[in-house]
Amino acid sequence: MTSARTTSRSRSATREKLFQAAVTLIAEQGFSSTTVEEIAERAGVAKGTVYYNFASKTELFEELLRHGVELLSADLRHAAEGTAERDGTKVDALDAMIRAGLMFIDRYPAFTQLYVAELWRTNRAWNDTLLVVRQEAVAVVEGVLREGVAAGELSEEIDIQLTAAALVGMVLVAALDWKAFQPERSLEDVHGALSLLLQGRVGGRGRPR
């Protein structure tokens, strides 16, 4: 039993090293220019280890996208649940999710850059997988918006699907702009700016009279 758990942890750690190596190299060089040998070298493992864990470079990249977006979705979900436990409003939950999204991007900027770039490509083998995992993240936000409308906190006129996608997109693009062009700004500063936008548009405060 102990041996099986140890083996499982070891394999999980190896896969994590491969994920980190692959996302960094592919973000730097592009998918086609990155070789399995380079991924193995960056991860500090033998080339055969890559093929032991993944059938191909394409499968590795597909799983990398799935893994990263699942981590983001989990962070968004935990932020919403934490707000609910503190009896916060649904707008508070959305605000907490924005912060969680920024924190995720701060930890994984290379993954975020890669993910956003891949969203615009339609000729990839992993395109269907990308659409599925993207919807997983957006669905977390949709759930909070739907609950806010049902509770009367948010306007029934809100287009839930489009608003959820817009909020996720806002965080991704704003965070990439922050990292690329305004790195001197703190996470709190960026969150504060997006929070004001959320409160004014989704929360309904600060409207001109």
Side-chain angles (χ1 to χ4, degrees), residues 108-136:
Y108 305 109
F111 172 81
T112 307
Q113 179 184 352
L114 199 59
Y115 169 73
V116 171
E118 290 300 321
L119 281 175
W120 293 99
R121 297 190 173 105
T122 58
N123 60 340
R124 301 293 206 184
W126 50 80
N127 190 248
D128 288 346
T129 295
L130 185 60
L131 293 177
V132 169
V133 295
R134 170 203 168 274
Q135 184 53 37
E136 180 182 342

Side-chain angles (χ1 to χ4, degrees), residues 50-92:
V50 179
Y51 289 115
Y52 175 75
N53 285 274
F54 305 97
S56 64
K57 186 175 72 169
T58 296
E59 182 182 304
L60 167 59
F61 188 62
E62 187 171 359
E63 286 300 312
L64 181 153
L65 290 171
R66 187 189 302 277
H67 177 70
V69 178
E70 284 176 352
L71 288 176
L72 172 60
S73 299
D75 284 356
L76 297 178
R77 194 173 297 108
H78 292 156
E81 291 171 352
T83 304
E85 290 171 1
R86 296 188 297 273
D87 295 323
T89 66
K90 297 307 175 185
V91 174
D92 291 334

Side-chain angles (χ1 to χ4, degrees), residues 10-25 34-51 53-54 60:
S10 177
R11 185 172 187 188
S12 178
T14 298
R15 289 171 72 90
E16 186 64 29
K17 288 180 184 177
L18 291 170
F19 282 135
Q20 294 292 343
V23 73
T24 303
L25 285 167
T34 301
T35 66
V36 171
E37 288 84 352
E38 288 174 316
I39 293 172
E41 183 178 355
R42 180 69 67 94
V45 301
K47 177 181 175 182
T49 302
V50 179
Y51 289 115
N53 285 274
F54 305 97
L60 167 59

Side-chain angles (χ1 to χ4, degrees), residues 98-116:
I98 287 175
R99 181 176 177 80
L102 291 173
M103 290 176 68
F104 175 88
I105 294 164
D106 194 35
R107 288 196 306 273
Y108 305 109
F111 172 81
T112 307
Q113 179 184 352
L114 199 59
Y115 169 73
V116 171

Side-chain angles (χ1 to χ4, degrees), residues 135-158:
Q135 184 53 37
E136 180 182 342
V138 173
V140 179
V141 183
E142 285 182 5
V144 173
L145 288 170
R146 198 167 283 110
E147 290 170 0
V149 171
E153 293 181 29
L154 303 176
S155 170
E156 293 182 356
E157 297 178 359
I158 288 177

